[in-house]
Amino acid sequence: MKTFKKYTALVLFLIGITVLSISSCNRVEEEKQAKNIILLIGDGMGVSQLYAGLTANHGQLNITGMKHIGFQKTYSYDDYTTDSAASGTAIATGEKTRNGMIGMSPDSVKVKSILEISEDEGKSTGLISTSSITHATPASFIAHQVSRGMYEAIAADFLSTDIELVIGGGKNNFTEREDGRNLLEDFEKKGYSVYDNLEEALTCDNDKMIAFTAGGHNPRYSEGRGDMLPEATGKALEMLGDDPQGFFLMVEGSQIDWGGHANDIDYIIEETLDFDRAVGKALEFAEKNGETLVVVTADHECGGLTLKDGSFESGMVTPGFSTGGHTGIMVPVFAYGPGADEFMGVYENTDIIKKMMKAYGL
Ligand code: MG
Ligand code: ZN
């Protein structure tokens, strides 16, 4: 009888502890919101591109260590196979639009992006890209134009926001313009520090900067760009991370896509690994910070890449490509931090902003 009572008491005690810990866990998850969001987009980075990078890196990536994983459907308003303008707009604004359109609905109405919403919430914002900063993916977060090719109009749209940090190529769209304006003078008037190289930008102690790392697109990683992307990401987190109201930062690994268009596996792998190092910087910040949601995804796949063989030991893969363009297949989404569990499952690219807003508590 005595042992039975002891046993019952022990069981009740264990049940009590379990109930308490489950309810306190739930409470923590419910209360925790993301003050900051870092969204990293690997342009053209499908599962095969990621797996090629993983294999080349002997089985380990920062991205694949992220535990909350889903898939997003990338089709645009008018095409099963999206371009980077329509998919960028879908991710940035929650609106499926026509291929080629930037920050606009299919009937050419401007739609607000997560970057602009973050600005409205009093947060700091930033955009970083290894292409020209006026190219489709970053443009979708800040510009509203009917065509992705309107680079000079897209550059002028940067002045309509209070974005704190811009790092990328594309200086010529700001300075060598048909309208004769030098937009960098306007940025200086608005209090920005303006740079035309990363080295100086990394020493910036102003709270607003625009830094150009190329006149047009940046060169590829192995042809002179080097660690620009992870270094720029580190600088952005140092600058924006100071804002007590929080921040939104979008970082694009643009050229994974260009490796896909060129059916060049070495190009794809070096750009994927470079992008993964930028993700590493974001995760390192988020781990320490505790109030930062990190989301890693692609805008679409490119090249129809498959891996016919490979070796984790040598890091070699045998690629096969089915196209020199984009494909319509789903792409992965990885998340870490407050709100990360919302990113599990299969959903539309337009749902990503809803999940980010929920993480903000909006
Ligand atoms: Mg892009
Ligand atoms: Zn492309």
Side-chain angles (χ1 to χ4, degrees):
M1 199 62 185
K2 223 177 176 185
T3 29
F4 177 74
K5 266 188 188 164
K6 257 191 202 165
Y7 178 72
T8 312
L10 179 65
V11 167
L12 286 174
F13 176 69
L14 288 175
I15 289 173
I17 282 191
T18 313
V19 167
L20 272 176
S21 58
I22 288 174
S23 62
S24 67
C25 263
N26 282 344
R27 209 175 318 133
V28 168
E29 272 186 25
E30 274 166 25
E31 279 171 10
K32 247 192 169 179
Q33 288 179 355
K35 193 172 82 173
N36 315 312
I37 297 179
I38 311 169
L39 172 63
L40 301 104
I41 301 178
D43 198 316
M45 187 188 70
V47 170
S48 298
Q49 284 78 1
L50 206 52
Y51 206 65
L54 183 89
T55 306
N57 207 36
H58 310 289
Q60 191 271 328
L61 288 179
N62 294 312
I63 297 170
T64 49
M66 299 170 79
K67 300 280 185 276
H68 294 90
I69 301 160
F71 280 92
Q72 46 127 329
K73 301 179 214 169
T74 66
Y75 67 91
S76 70
Y77 176 82
D78 64 347
D79 205 324
Y80 184 78
T81 305
T82 190
D83 81 321
S84 292
S87 56
T89 298
I91 295 169
T93 71
E95 186 86 26
K96 292 253 187 200
T97 195
R98 300 175 201 276
N99 281 6
M101 291 179 86
I102 299 286
M104 280 187 162
S105 69
D107 44 358
S108 304
V109 177
K110 292 181 186 183
V111 262
K112 222 170 221 188
S113 74
I114 182 72
L115 185 145
E116 292 164 316
I117 292 165
S118 302
E119 281 288 336
D120 291 348
E121 291 296 310
K123 297 177 188 293
S124 291
T125 59
L127 284 178
I128 302 174
S129 172
T130 53
S131 63
S132 163
I133 201 71
T134 50
H135 207 235
T137 313
S140 299
F141 287 81
I142 198 162
H144 306 277
Q145 298 295 337
V146 289
S147 170
R148 59 183 288 168
M150 299 164 71
Y151 294 122
E152 295 180 8
I154 289 168
D157 278 350
F158 276 69
L159 282 162
S160 338
T161 72
D162 285 316
I163 188 167
E164 274 73 17
L165 176 136
V166 178
I167 306 177
K171 186 186 178 188
N172 298 345
N173 299 142
F174 293 78
T175 55
E176 292 170 25
R177 301 167 54 84
E178 275 182 26
D179 62 11
R181 287 173 67 192
N182 178 354
L183 301 186
L184 299 186
E185 287 169 4
D186 299 283
F187 277 100
E188 276 173 349
K189 274 180 211 146
K190 284 183 81 178
Y192 285 79
S193 296
V194 178
Y195 302 97
D196 61 5
N197 65 80
L198 185 65
E199 291 64 39
E200 279 177 63
L202 292 177
T203 67
C204 175
D205 56 5
N206 191 354
D207 55 5
K208 282 184 157 203
M209 74 137 109
I210 182 161
F212 294 101
T213 48
H217 293 309
N218 288 288
R220 68 185 262 187
Y221 175 81
S222 59
E223 291 175 1
R225 194 182 78 241
D227 291 326
M228 171 258 172
L229 192 65
E231 283 178 5
T233 305
K235 180 64 185 176
L237 295 173
E238 174 199 313
M239 258 178 74
L240 306 179
D242 271 352
D243 191 330
Q245 304 263 85
F247 67 85
F248 172 83
L249 172 66
M250 196 289 294
V251 176
E252 186 201 17
S254 323
Q255 300 193 28
I256 302 166
D257 182 64
W258 303 352
H261 284 295
N263 286 188
D264 180 338
I265 193 67
D266 295 332
Y267 195 173
I268 289 171
I269 286 172
E270 74 186 38
E271 292 294 339
T272 301
L273 294 181
D274 175 60
F275 178 67
D276 187 63
R277 285 188 284 272
V279 172
K281 294 274 185 189
L283 290 173
E284 199 182 310
F285 177 91
E287 248 170 68
K288 280 189 208 142
N289 176 270
E291 293 180 289
T292 304
L293 170 66
V294 180
V295 180
V296 178
T297 190
D299 52 352
H300 53 72
E301 198 275 343
C302 181
L305 175 62
T306 190
L307 305 174
K308 294 186 277 194
D309 198 4
S311 157
F312 293 110
E313 209 176 31
S314 70
M316 300 296 287
V317 295
T318 309
F321 292 93
S322 60
T323 174
H326 300 172
T327 66
I329 57 170
M330 301 190 290
V331 292
V333 185
F334 298 83
Y336 173 87
D341 49 353
E342 292 288 327
F343 289 84
M344 297 189 291
V346 177
Y347 40 88
E348 300 291 340
N349 51 6
T350 46
D351 290 334
I352 291 173
I353 185 172
K354 294 174 196 157
K355 298 172 191 299
M356 292 192 290
M357 299 273 280
K358 196 172 174 192
Y360 270 160
L362 297 176

Short mmCIF file of all heavy atoms in Angstrom, two decimals, residues 43-101:
data_model
loop_
_atom_site.label_atom_id
_atom_site.label_comp_id
_atom_site.label_asym_id
_atom_site.label_seq_id
_atom_site.Cartn_x
_atom_site.Cartn_y
_atom_site.Cartn_z
N ASP A 43 18.48 33.78 -55.75
CA ASP A 43 17.78 33.84 -57.05
C ASP A 43 18.10 32.56 -57.83
O ASP A 43 19.27 32.24 -58.06
CB ASP A 43 18.23 35.08 -57.82
CG ASP A 43 17.27 35.44 -58.95
OD1 ASP A 43 16.84 34.53 -59.69
OD2 ASP A 43 16.96 36.64 -59.09
N GLY A 44 17.05 31.83 -58.23
CA GLY A 44 17.25 30.62 -59.02
C GLY A 44 17.72 29.41 -58.24
O GLY A 44 18.18 28.43 -58.81
N MET A 45 17.59 29.47 -56.89
CA MET A 45 18.13 28.41 -56.03
C MET A 45 17.07 27.36 -55.69
O MET A 45 16.38 27.46 -54.68
CB MET A 45 18.71 29.02 -54.75
CG MET A 45 19.45 28.02 -53.87
SD MET A 45 19.93 28.73 -52.27
CE MET A 45 18.33 28.90 -51.47
N GLY A 46 16.98 26.34 -56.52
CA GLY A 46 16.09 25.23 -56.22
C GLY A 46 16.79 24.20 -55.35
O GLY A 46 17.92 24.41 -54.88
N VAL A 47 16.11 23.08 -55.13
CA VAL A 47 16.66 22.02 -54.27
C VAL A 47 17.97 21.48 -54.85
O VAL A 47 18.92 21.21 -54.11
CB VAL A 47 15.62 20.89 -54.09
CG1 VAL A 47 16.25 19.68 -53.43
CG2 VAL A 47 14.44 21.39 -53.26
N SER A 48 18.06 21.35 -56.18
CA SER A 48 19.29 20.80 -56.79
C SER A 48 20.48 21.73 -56.61
O SER A 48 21.60 21.28 -56.36
CB SER A 48 19.08 20.54 -58.28
OG SER A 48 18.06 19.59 -58.47
N GLN A 49 20.24 23.03 -56.77
CA GLN A 49 21.33 24.01 -56.59
C GLN A 49 21.86 23.93 -55.15
O GLN A 49 23.07 23.93 -54.92
CB GLN A 49 20.81 25.44 -56.87
CG GLN A 49 20.62 25.79 -58.33
CD GLN A 49 19.34 25.21 -58.93
OE1 GLN A 49 18.55 24.54 -58.26
NE2 GLN A 49 19.13 25.46 -60.21
N LEU A 50 20.90 23.84 -54.21
CA LEU A 50 21.26 23.77 -52.80
C LEU A 50 22.04 22.47 -52.51
O LEU A 50 23.04 22.47 -51.81
CB LEU A 50 19.96 23.79 -51.99
CG LEU A 50 19.97 24.31 -50.57
CD1 LEU A 50 20.63 25.67 -50.47
CD2 LEU A 50 18.54 24.39 -50.06
N TYR A 51 21.57 21.37 -53.12
CA TYR A 51 22.21 20.08 -52.88
C TYR A 51 23.59 20.01 -53.54
O TYR A 51 24.49 19.36 -53.03
CB TYR A 51 21.30 18.93 -53.34
CG TYR A 51 21.57 17.65 -52.58
CD1 TYR A 51 21.32 17.57 -51.22
CD2 TYR A 51 22.12 16.54 -53.23
CE1 TYR A 51 21.59 16.42 -50.51
CE2 TYR A 51 22.39 15.37 -52.52
CZ TYR A 51 22.13 15.31 -51.16
OH TYR A 51 22.40 14.17 -50.45
N ALA A 52 23.74 20.69 -54.68
CA ALA A 52 25.06 20.78 -55.32
C ALA A 52 26.03 21.52 -54.39
O ALA A 52 27.17 21.09 -54.20
CB ALA A 52 24.95 21.50 -56.66
N GLY A 53 25.55 22.62 -53.78
CA GLY A 53 26.37 23.38 -52.82
C GLY A 53 26.70 22.54 -51.60
O GLY A 53 27.84 22.53 -51.12
N LEU A 54 25.70 21.82 -51.11
CA LEU A 54 25.89 20.94 -49.94
C LEU A 54 26.94 19.87 -50.23
O LEU A 54 27.80 19.59 -49.39
CB LEU A 54 24.55 20.29 -49.57
CG LEU A 54 24.54 19.39 -48.34
CD1 LEU A 54 24.24 20.20 -47.10
CD2 LEU A 54 23.52 18.27 -48.48
N THR A 55 26.87 19.29 -51.43
CA THR A 55 27.82 18.25 -51.81
C THR A 55 29.23 18.83 -51.95
O THR A 55 30.20 18.28 -51.42
CB THR A 55 27.38 17.58 -53.13
OG1 THR A 55 26.04 17.13 -52.99
CG2 THR A 55 28.29 16.40 -53.48
N ALA A 56 29.32 19.98 -52.64
CA ALA A 56 30.62 20.63 -52.84
C ALA A 56 31.26 20.99 -51.50
O ALA A 56 32.48 20.99 -51.36
CB ALA A 56 30.46 21.87 -53.70
N ASN A 57 30.42 21.30 -50.51
CA ASN A 57 30.91 21.68 -49.18
C ASN A 57 31.01 20.46 -48.26
O ASN A 57 31.01 20.59 -47.05
CB ASN A 57 30.00 22.76 -48.57
CG ASN A 57 30.74 23.64 -47.59
OD1 ASN A 57 31.90 23.96 -47.76
ND2 ASN A 57 30.04 24.02 -46.52
N HIS A 58 31.08 19.28 -48.87
CA HIS A 58 31.28 18.01 -48.16
C HIS A 58 30.18 17.70 -47.14
O HIS A 58 30.45 17.17 -46.06
CB HIS A 58 32.67 17.97 -47.50
CG HIS A 58 33.78 18.34 -48.45
ND1 HIS A 58 34.17 17.52 -49.49
CD2 HIS A 58 34.53 19.47 -48.55
CE1 HIS A 58 35.13 18.11 -50.17
NE2 HIS A 58 35.37 19.30 -49.63
N GLY A 59 28.93 18.10 -47.48
CA GLY A 59 27.78 17.65 -46.70
C GLY A 59 27.26 18.61 -45.64
O GLY A 59 26.39 18.24 -44.86
N GLN A 60 27.76 19.85 -45.65
CA GLN A 60 27.33 20.78 -44.60
C GLN A 60 27.06 22.16 -45.17
O GLN A 60 27.84 22.69 -45.96
CB GLN A 60 28.42 20.85 -43.51
CG GLN A 60 28.01 21.55 -42.24
CD GLN A 60 28.28 23.04 -42.27
OE1 GLN A 60 29.22 23.51 -42.89
NE2 GLN A 60 27.41 23.79 -41.59
N LEU A 61 25.91 22.75 -44.78
CA LEU A 61 25.59 24.14 -45.12
C LEU A 61 24.93 24.80 -43.92
O LEU A 61 24.31 24.12 -43.10
CB LEU A 61 24.61 24.22 -46.30
CG LEU A 61 25.08 23.88 -47.71
CD1 LEU A 61 23.91 24.00 -48.68
CD2 LEU A 61 26.23 24.77 -48.16
N ASN A 62 25.03 26.12 -43.82
CA ASN A 62 24.27 26.85 -42.80
C ASN A 62 22.78 26.70 -43.04
O ASN A 62 22.00 26.52 -42.11
CB ASN A 62 24.65 28.32 -42.81
CG ASN A 62 26.09 28.55 -42.40
OD1 ASN A 62 26.55 28.00 -41.40
ND2 ASN A 62 26.81 29.33 -43.19
N ILE A 63 22.38 26.80 -44.32
CA ILE A 63 20.96 26.78 -44.66
C ILE A 63 20.31 25.47 -44.23
O ILE A 63 19.21 25.47 -43.66
CB ILE A 63 20.76 26.98 -46.19
CG1 ILE A 63 21.29 28.35 -46.61
CG2 ILE A 63 19.29 26.81 -46.58
CD1 ILE A 63 21.35 28.55 -48.13
N THR A 64 20.98 24.35 -44.49
CA THR A 64 20.35 23.05 -44.22
C THR A 64 20.34 22.71 -42.74
O THR A 64 19.75 21.70 -42.35
CB THR A 64 21.03 21.93 -45.04
OG1 THR A 64 22.44 22.03 -44.86
CG2 THR A 64 20.70 22.06 -46.52
N GLY A 65 20.95 23.56 -41.91
CA GLY A 65 20.85 23.38 -40.46
C GLY A 65 19.57 23.99 -39.90
O GLY A 65 19.24 23.80 -38.73
N MET A 66 18.84 24.74 -40.74
CA MET A 66 17.60 25.40 -40.28
C MET A 66 16.49 24.35 -40.24
O MET A 66 16.33 23.57 -41.17
CB MET A 66 17.25 26.56 -41.22
CG MET A 66 18.34 27.63 -41.24
SD MET A 66 18.12 28.88 -42.54
CE MET A 66 16.87 29.93 -41.80
N LYS A 67 15.71 24.35 -39.13
CA LYS A 67 14.82 23.21 -38.86
C LYS A 67 13.39 23.37 -39.40
O LYS A 67 12.68 22.40 -39.55
CB LYS A 67 14.75 22.95 -37.35
CG LYS A 67 16.10 22.61 -36.72
CD LYS A 67 16.47 21.15 -36.97
CE LYS A 67 17.75 20.77 -36.24
NZ LYS A 67 18.96 21.13 -37.03
N HIS A 68 12.95 24.60 -39.62
CA HIS A 68 11.58 24.79 -40.09
C HIS A 68 11.60 24.97 -41.60
O HIS A 68 12.12 25.96 -42.11
CB HIS A 68 10.94 26.00 -39.40
CG HIS A 68 10.75 25.78 -37.93
ND1 HIS A 68 11.71 26.13 -37.00
CD2 HIS A 68 9.73 25.22 -37.24
CE1 HIS A 68 11.27 25.80 -35.79
NE2 HIS A 68 10.08 25.24 -35.90
N ILE A 69 11.04 24.00 -42.30
CA ILE A 69 11.19 23.93 -43.76
C ILE A 69 9.84 23.79 -44.44
O ILE A 69 8.97 23.03 -43.98
CB ILE A 69 12.09 22.74 -44.14
CG1 ILE A 69 13.47 22.90 -43.47
CG2 ILE A 69 12.27 22.64 -45.65
CD1 ILE A 69 14.24 21.61 -43.37
N GLY A 70 9.65 24.52 -45.53
CA GLY A 70 8.44 24.39 -46.34
C GLY A 70 8.78 24.54 -47.81
O GLY A 70 9.95 24.63 -48.18
N PHE A 71 7.73 24.56 -48.63
CA PHE A 71 7.92 24.80 -50.07
C PHE A 71 6.93 25.86 -50.53
O PHE A 71 5.78 25.88 -50.08
CB PHE A 71 7.67 23.51 -50.87
CG PHE A 71 8.84 22.58 -50.85
CD1 PHE A 71 8.94 21.59 -49.88
CD2 PHE A 71 9.84 22.70 -51.81
CE1 PHE A 71 10.04 20.74 -49.86
CE2 PHE A 71 10.93 21.84 -51.79
CZ PHE A 71 11.03 20.87 -50.81
N GLN A 72 7.37 26.71 -51.45
CA GLN A 72 6.45 27.71 -52.01
C GLN A 72 6.29 27.51 -53.51
O GLN A 72 7.23 27.15 -54.22
CB GLN A 72 6.92 29.12 -51.67
CG GLN A 72 8.40 29.39 -51.90
CD GLN A 72 8.64 30.61 -52.75
OE1 GLN A 72 7.85 30.94 -53.61
NE2 GLN A 72 9.77 31.27 -52.51
N LYS A 73 5.04 27.76 -53.95
CA LYS A 73 4.71 27.67 -55.38
C LYS A 73 5.00 29.02 -56.02
O LYS A 73 4.56 30.06 -55.53
CB LYS A 73 3.23 27.32 -55.55
CG LYS A 73 2.85 26.00 -54.90
CD LYS A 73 1.37 25.74 -55.09
CE LYS A 73 0.79 25.00 -53.90
NZ LYS A 73 -0.69 24.97 -53.97
N THR A 74 5.74 29.00 -57.12
CA THR A 74 6.31 30.25 -57.65
C THR A 74 5.56 30.84 -58.85
O THR A 74 5.89 31.94 -59.28
CB THR A 74 7.77 30.02 -58.09
OG1 THR A 74 7.78 29.12 -59.21
CG2 THR A 74 8.61 29.43 -56.96
N TYR A 75 4.56 30.12 -59.41
CA TYR A 75 3.91 30.59 -60.65
C TYR A 75 3.41 32.03 -60.50
O TYR A 75 3.02 32.46 -59.42
CB TYR A 75 2.76 29.65 -61.05
CG TYR A 75 1.60 29.66 -60.09
CD1 TYR A 75 0.53 30.55 -60.28
CD2 TYR A 75 1.56 28.83 -58.97
CE1 TYR A 75 -0.53 30.60 -59.38
CE2 TYR A 75 0.51 28.86 -58.08
CZ TYR A 75 -0.53 29.74 -58.28
OH TYR A 75 -1.57 29.80 -57.39
N SER A 76 3.45 32.76 -61.61
CA SER A 76 3.02 34.17 -61.57
C SER A 76 1.56 34.29 -62.00
O SER A 76 0.90 33.30 -62.30
CB SER A 76 3.93 35.02 -62.46
OG SER A 76 3.70 34.73 -63.83
N TYR A 77 1.06 35.52 -62.05
CA TYR A 77 -0.34 35.78 -62.45
C TYR A 77 -0.60 35.29 -63.86
O TYR A 77 -1.67 34.78 -64.16
CB TYR A 77 -0.60 37.29 -62.36
CG TYR A 77 -1.96 37.73 -62.84
CD1 TYR A 77 -3.08 37.63 -62.01
CD2 TYR A 77 -2.12 38.26 -64.13
CE1 TYR A 77 -4.32 38.04 -62.45
CE2 TYR A 77 -3.36 38.68 -64.56
CZ TYR A 77 -4.47 38.56 -63.73
OH TYR A 77 -5.69 38.97 -64.17
N ASP A 78 0.40 35.43 -64.74
CA ASP A 78 0.16 35.10 -66.15
C ASP A 78 1.06 34.01 -66.70
O ASP A 78 1.08 33.79 -67.91
CB ASP A 78 0.27 36.37 -67.02
CG ASP A 78 1.68 36.98 -67.02
OD1 ASP A 78 2.50 36.59 -66.16
OD2 ASP A 78 1.96 37.83 -67.88
N ASP A 79 1.82 33.32 -65.85
CA ASP A 79 2.73 32.30 -66.37
C ASP A 79 3.04 31.24 -65.32
O ASP A 79 3.33 31.57 -64.17
CB ASP A 79 4.04 32.98 -66.83
CG ASP A 79 4.76 32.17 -67.91
OD1 ASP A 79 4.74 30.92 -67.85
OD2 ASP A 79 5.35 32.80 -68.81
N TYR A 80 2.97 29.96 -65.75
CA TYR A 80 3.36 28.85 -64.86
C TYR A 80 4.82 29.03 -64.43
O TYR A 80 5.19 28.71 -63.30
CB TYR A 80 3.20 27.54 -65.64
CG TYR A 80 3.46 26.27 -64.84
CD1 TYR A 80 2.51 25.75 -63.96
CD2 TYR A 80 4.66 25.57 -64.99
CE1 TYR A 80 2.74 24.59 -63.25
CE2 TYR A 80 4.90 24.40 -64.29
CZ TYR A 80 3.94 23.91 -63.42
OH TYR A 80 4.17 22.76 -62.72
N THR A 81 5.64 29.54 -65.35
CA THR A 81 7.05 29.79 -65.07
C THR A 81 7.26 31.28 -64.85
O THR A 81 7.12 32.09 -65.77
CB THR A 81 7.92 29.31 -66.25
OG1 THR A 81 7.60 27.94 -66.49
CG2 THR A 81 9.39 29.44 -65.93
N THR A 82 7.61 31.64 -63.62
CA THR A 82 7.72 33.06 -63.27
C THR A 82 9.06 33.64 -63.69
O THR A 82 10.01 32.90 -63.96
CB THR A 82 7.54 33.25 -61.75
OG1 THR A 82 7.41 34.65 -61.45
CG2 THR A 82 8.76 32.71 -60.97
N ASP A 83 9.15 34.95 -63.74
CA ASP A 83 10.45 35.63 -63.81
C ASP A 83 10.71 36.23 -62.43
O ASP A 83 9.88 36.10 -61.52
CB ASP A 83 10.47 36.69 -64.93
CG ASP A 83 9.82 38.00 -64.49
OD1 ASP A 83 8.81 37.95 -63.78
OD2 ASP A 83 10.33 39.06 -64.87
N SER A 84 11.87 36.86 -62.27
CA SER A 84 12.25 37.36 -60.95
C SER A 84 11.47 38.61 -60.54
O SER A 84 11.41 38.93 -59.35
CB SER A 84 13.74 37.66 -60.89
OG SER A 84 14.48 36.47 -60.98
N ALA A 85 10.87 39.31 -61.50
CA ALA A 85 10.07 40.49 -61.16
C ALA A 85 8.75 40.06 -60.52
O ALA A 85 8.40 40.52 -59.43
CB ALA A 85 9.82 41.33 -62.41
N ALA A 86 8.04 39.15 -61.18
CA ALA A 86 6.75 38.69 -60.64
C ALA A 86 6.94 37.93 -59.33
O ALA A 86 6.15 38.10 -58.40
CB ALA A 86 6.04 37.82 -61.67
N SER A 87 7.98 37.08 -59.25
CA SER A 87 8.18 36.32 -58.01
C SER A 87 8.69 37.21 -56.89
O SER A 87 8.29 37.06 -55.73
CB SER A 87 9.12 35.13 -58.24
OG SER A 87 10.35 35.57 -58.76
N GLY A 88 9.55 38.18 -57.23
CA GLY A 88 10.01 39.14 -56.23
C GLY A 88 8.84 39.95 -55.68
O GLY A 88 8.71 40.15 -54.48
N THR A 89 7.97 40.38 -56.59
CA THR A 89 6.79 41.15 -56.19
C THR A 89 5.87 40.31 -55.31
O THR A 89 5.32 40.80 -54.31
CB THR A 89 6.04 41.66 -57.45
OG1 THR A 89 6.92 42.53 -58.18
CG2 THR A 89 4.77 42.41 -57.08
N ALA A 90 5.69 39.02 -55.66
CA ALA A 90 4.83 38.14 -54.86
C ALA A 90 5.37 38.00 -53.44
O ALA A 90 4.62 38.08 -52.47
CB ALA A 90 4.74 36.77 -55.53
N ILE A 91 6.68 37.80 -53.33
CA ILE A 91 7.30 37.63 -52.00
C ILE A 91 7.25 38.95 -51.23
O ILE A 91 6.90 38.99 -50.05
CB ILE A 91 8.76 37.14 -52.14
CG1 ILE A 91 8.80 35.73 -52.76
CG2 ILE A 91 9.46 37.14 -50.78
CD1 ILE A 91 10.19 35.27 -53.17
N ALA A 92 7.56 40.06 -51.90
CA ALA A 92 7.67 41.36 -51.23
C ALA A 92 6.31 41.94 -50.86
O ALA A 92 6.19 42.59 -49.82
CB ALA A 92 8.44 42.34 -52.12
N THR A 93 5.30 41.73 -51.72
CA THR A 93 4.03 42.44 -51.52
C THR A 93 2.82 41.54 -51.28
O THR A 93 1.75 42.02 -50.88
CB THR A 93 3.68 43.32 -52.75
OG1 THR A 93 3.30 42.45 -53.85
CG2 THR A 93 4.85 44.17 -53.18
N GLY A 94 2.93 40.23 -51.59
CA GLY A 94 1.80 39.33 -51.45
C GLY A 94 0.85 39.37 -52.63
O GLY A 94 -0.28 38.91 -52.55
N GLU A 95 1.30 39.92 -53.75
CA GLU A 95 0.46 40.07 -54.94
C GLU A 95 1.06 39.28 -56.10
O GLU A 95 2.19 39.53 -56.51
CB GLU A 95 0.39 41.56 -55.31
CG GLU A 95 -0.56 41.90 -56.44
CD GLU A 95 -2.00 42.15 -55.98
OE1 GLU A 95 -2.21 42.53 -54.81
OE2 GLU A 95 -2.90 41.93 -56.82
N LYS A 96 0.28 38.31 -56.66
CA LYS A 96 0.73 37.63 -57.88
C LYS A 96 0.54 38.62 -59.02
O LYS A 96 -0.55 39.18 -59.20
CB LYS A 96 -0.12 36.39 -58.15
CG LYS A 96 0.07 35.27 -57.14
CD LYS A 96 0.85 34.09 -57.70
CE LYS A 96 0.85 32.95 -56.69
NZ LYS A 96 1.94 31.98 -56.93
N THR A 97 1.58 38.86 -59.79
CA THR A 97 1.47 39.82 -60.89
C THR A 97 2.00 39.23 -62.18
O THR A 97 2.38 38.05 -62.23
CB THR A 97 2.16 41.15 -60.51
OG1 THR A 97 1.75 42.17 -61.42
CG2 THR A 97 3.68 41.02 -60.52
N ARG A 98 1.98 40.06 -63.24
CA ARG A 98 2.46 39.59 -64.54
C ARG A 98 3.99 39.56 -64.55
O ARG A 98 4.63 40.42 -63.94
CB ARG A 98 1.99 40.55 -65.65
CG ARG A 98 0.49 40.67 -65.76
CD ARG A 98 0.09 41.73 -66.80
NE ARG A 98 -1.26 42.20 -66.57
CZ ARG A 98 -2.36 41.58 -67.01
NH1 ARG A 98 -2.25 40.49 -67.74
NH2 ARG A 98 -3.55 42.05 -66.74
N ASN A 99 4.57 38.61 -65.27
CA ASN A 99 6.02 38.58 -65.43
C ASN A 99 6.51 39.94 -65.92
O ASN A 99 5.89 40.54 -66.80
CB ASN A 99 6.43 37.48 -66.43
CG ASN A 99 6.42 36.10 -65.79
OD1 ASN A 99 6.01 35.93 -64.64
ND2 ASN A 99 6.87 35.10 -66.53
N GLY A 100 7.58 40.41 -65.31
CA GLY A 100 8.17 41.68 -65.73
C GLY A 100 7.76 42.87 -64.88
O GLY A 100 8.44 43.90 -64.89
N MET A 101 6.66 42.74 -64.11
CA MET A 101 6.17 43.89 -63.34
C MET A 101 6.81 43.95 -61.95
O MET A 101 7.05 42.94 -61.32
CB MET A 101 4.65 43.84 -63.22
CG MET A 101 3.95 44.08 -64.55
SD MET A 101 2.16 43.99 -64.41
CE MET A 101 1.78 45.67 -63.94
#
